Amino acid sequence: MKPTINIGIIGLGIVGCGALKILQENKNEIALKVGSELRVKRIADLDIERERPVEFDRSILTTDAYEIINDPEIDIVVELIGGVKPAGKFIMDAIKNGKHIVTANKALIAQEGHPLLEEAGNRKQDFFFEASVGGGIPIIRPLKICLAGNKIEQVIGIVNGTTNYILTRMSQDGQDFSDALAEAQRLGYAEADPTNDVEGFDAAYKISILASIAFTSRVDVKGVYHEGITKLTKRDTAYARDLGYCVKLLAIAKRNNGAMEIRVHPAFIPQTHPLASVNDVYNGIFVKGNAVGDVMFYGQGAGAMAAGSAVVGDIIDIARNINCGATGRISCTCFENKAMLSMDDVVTKYYIRMQTADRPKVLASIANIFGDNDVSIASVLQKTRGHNGEAEIVWITHEVKEKNFRTALAAIEKLPVVAQVSNWIRVED
Ligand SMILES: NC(=O)c1ccc[n+]([C@@H]2O[C@H](COP(=O)([O-])OP(=O)(O)OC[C@H]3O[C@@H](n4cnc5c(N)ncnc54)[C@H](OP(=O)(O)O)[C@@H]3O)[C@@H](O)[C@H]2O)c1
């Protein structure tokens, strides 16, 4: 047993401060669990002057990450700066210097994680990234360890707290997207530039990571279909509620005839689905294994202490492995290169809202086009709107291939009696 295990943290921002606080506040309990003292020997950040919400010995601060990466006494390097560059190089250099790695960096793991994990694995060094998906929710370790006996059939998650907060406000308070986004920004739940969250990039990174573990395959994140929540209106969330659904930004990964079906988009889900009760900034991840059945993970997907909790859990795991000479036990699990299902071949149901002329045979002319493309209708709702005599028609389809659905929709949009297809959203039961 090493009496002291030395840690270097690169990036003392939100998560860095949370992890440092936990390591300090729970120092004694952690030492008992590990059998060694966990000492933060050095912290690197670009700004070493600003106040932080945690007390610590500021003499350990440096602006040069390489004072950590090249320090022979440091056992574990914790990367918490985010982004691909220079984080990827820092981590690769640290691995080559014999360090074990902890990171919370989903963008890096999803885009360029494979060579880093492989390098660490070849050297029997640990590389953990629990905080990169689901913040404080344990999901990567459960998939890699606790559920390893299963063939994972699907992972469906609400993995972005910002968009879940916006959708909750739209559904529960009848807010428009822009008002709900402004409120999320005011409360610090959304960044000044919310693109990464509201356009689904963040969720795409996270589901790529989960899918690669669940299906033991490499996943090219560039091939993952993602659609954000910006085109949703309060009219759609109100229809969802009236029809017994709620709207969530879902990150979906399914096995599909040997291929992987991975997609991120807003979806109607039944109000009775376990994920329907995941509201505000919370995250929920629903996993189906062929042995265990359904398992659901729920908790805070972001924040200093929640993400810090996952980071410290990783550090403790590595420290224990160091003490019993078992590092590098679980490395990269992407053994295969499975094909990705095209969105054209995805089979799901759809909600469509359209404005049409309010006269006889309109419904029939639209229904005919649906029928010609094998789109069968589960329900239809018609309301007359306003004084211009237009009707608003809402359709819910049965399951159909996306290609057929889109072909039908393109033809319907050209009908003279159809003023506008206002929106369409996938329905996941
Ligand atoms: N925030 C969350 O709730 C959360 C949850 C889960 C995962 N994560 C992930 O955790 C990571 C960190 O996120 P965060 O929210 O803590 O970010 P953050 O608050 O922006 O902190 C990043 C820190 O790293 C510093 N930094 C940037 N480049 C550096 C470099 N080359 N050398 C040394 N320090 C550098 C930044 O300094 P300056 O500010 O001076 O630029 C900043 O203090 C990201 O990968 C993020 O995706 C975050």
Side-chain angles (χ1 to χ4, degrees):
M1 294 263 224
K2 290 183 81 167
T4 303
I5 290 175
N6 286 314
I7 298 159
I9 299 176
I10 308 176
L12 192 60
I14 295 170
V15 183
C17 287
L20 182 61
K21 194 162 185 220
I22 296 166
L23 284 167
Q24 292 186 157
E25 284 183 358
N26 299 344
K27 191 177 173 66
N28 294 339
E29 290 81 355
I30 292 172
L32 278 174
K33 286 175 187 168
V34 175
S36 308
E37 180 204 0
L38 297 193
R39 171 180 169 230
V40 179
K41 186 174 180 231
R42 208 111 179 94
I43 301 175
D45 197 280
L46 296 179
D47 180 354
I48 58 173
E49 301 300 329
R50 76 169 182 267
E51 284 302 307
R52 290 342 206 249
V54 53
E55 292 286 314
F56 65 105
D57 170 9
R58 295 186 80 100
S59 71
I60 64 171
L61 280 170
T62 173
T63 52
D64 181 6
Y66 279 87
E67 284 193 26
I68 290 172
I69 295 163
N70 292 331
D71 182 340
E73 289 186 353
I74 287 180
D75 304 285
I76 304 171
V77 170
V78 183
E79 180 279 304
L80 296 173
I81 66 176
V84 172
K85 284 181 181 149
K89 176 155 171 45
F90 286 172
I91 291 179
M92 186 56 99
D93 289 344
I95 294 169
K96 289 183 173 163
N97 280 352
K99 314 296 181 205
H100 305 284
I101 306 294
V102 175
T103 178
N105 194 333
K106 64 217 126 190
L108 176 67
I109 297 296
Q111 294 175 92
E112 293 184 12
H114 192 78
L116 300 172
L117 278 156
E118 218 169 40
E119 186 70 25
N122 290 342
R123 292 165 175 268
K124 292 275 175 273
Q125 289 160 219
D126 277 338
F127 187 133
F128 294 154
F129 48 95
E130 186 62 63
S132 65
V133 184
I137 306 172
I139 182 65
I140 289 169
R141 210 169 257 92
L143 280 174
K144 279 199 175 190
I145 299 175
C146 319
L147 300 175
N150 287 259
K151 183 171 174 185
I152 303 294
E153 303 291 353
Q154 55 176 262
V155 179
I156 302 184
I158 295 168
V159 290
N160 182 272
T162 306
T163 46
N164 204 38
Y165 183 81
I166 293 170
L167 292 175
T168 306
R169 294 283 68 80
M170 289 175 73
S171 298
Q172 292 184 355
D173 308 342
Q175 287 189 19
D176 259 325
F177 170 77
S178 53
D179 293 336
L181 170 62
E183 185 177 314
Q185 284 170 321
R186 210 167 41 247
L187 293 169
Y189 297 150
E191 292 179 22
D193 176 2
T195 312
N196 217 24
D197 294 318
V198 299
E199 296 295 356
F201 290 100
D202 175 83
Y205 291 145
K206 290 169 175 170
I207 196 65
S208 301
I209 295 172
L210 295 183
S212 71
I213 298 168
F215 306 143
T216 56
S217 172
R218 292 187 73 165
V219 171
D220 179 4
V221 69
K222 291 194 281 300
V224 171
Y225 176 85
H226 66 94
E227 187 185 306
I229 61 166
T230 52
K231 69 169 189 170
L232 286 174
T233 68
K234 62 182 177 188
R235 202 154 176 83
D236 299 308
T237 50
Y239 270 119
R241 197 176 47 240
D242 293 350
L243 292 164
Y245 295 100
C246 65
V247 188
K248 296 289 181 191
L249 181 69
L250 291 190
I252 299 172
K254 293 181 184 176
R255 278 182 202 267
N256 193 323
N257 290 323
M260 300 180 293
E261 179 182 331
I262 311 178
R263 49 193 166 103
V264 171
H265 52 74
F268 278 24
I269 55 171
Q271 286 163 5
T272 49
H273 191 284
L275 287 173
S277 56
V278 177
N279 285 318
D280 298 313
V281 288
Y282 278 84
N283 282 194
I285 301 162
F286 187 80
V287 178
K288 192 186 278 291
N290 70 342
V292 72
D294 295 343
V295 191
M296 173 122 158
F297 300 82
Y298 172 83
Q300 293 182 54
M305 296 304 272
S309 158
V311 167
V312 174
D314 281 350
I315 294 172
I316 292 173
D317 209 4
I318 295 175
R320 285 171 165 155
N321 286 344
I322 290 173
N323 276 340
C324 61
T327 60
R329 209 167 42 87
I330 305 156
S331 58
C332 186
T333 49
C334 302
F335 309 113
E336 298 167 274
N337 247 320
K338 289 196 168 87
M340 196 94 88
L341 193 80
S342 148
M343 273 311 280
D344 276 353
D345 295 324
V346 163
V347 174
T348 188
K349 303 178 183 179
Y350 299 85
Y351 150 95
I352 315 111
R353 178 166 64 86
M354 59 181 70
Q355 265 56 51
T356 69
D358 191 10
R359 57 178 137 89
K361 297 192 179 164
V362 170
L363 263 183
S365 61
I366 299 167
N368 278 343
I369 295 181
F370 277 136
D372 290 346
N373 289 281
D374 290 333
V375 182
S376 115
I377 301 303
S379 65
V380 57
L381 190 74
Q382 178 171 354
K383 287 186 181 175
T384 303
R385 282 194 82 199
H387 29 265
N388 55 4
E390 272 183 7
E392 181 164 74
I393 308 179
V394 165
W395 311 77
I396 302 278
T397 73
H398 285 298
E399 283 193 333
V400 59
K401 261 193 184 182
E402 178 126 345
K403 188 170 198 287
N404 291 38
F405 172 74
R406 283 185 184 256
T407 308
L409 207 57
I412 288 166
E413 277 177 322
K414 287 190 191 130
L415 284 176
V417 291
V418 173
Q420 186 188 7
V421 173
S422 305
N423 211 350
W424 60 271
I425 299 166
R426 298 175 187 86
V427 178
E428 298 288 327
D429 284 345

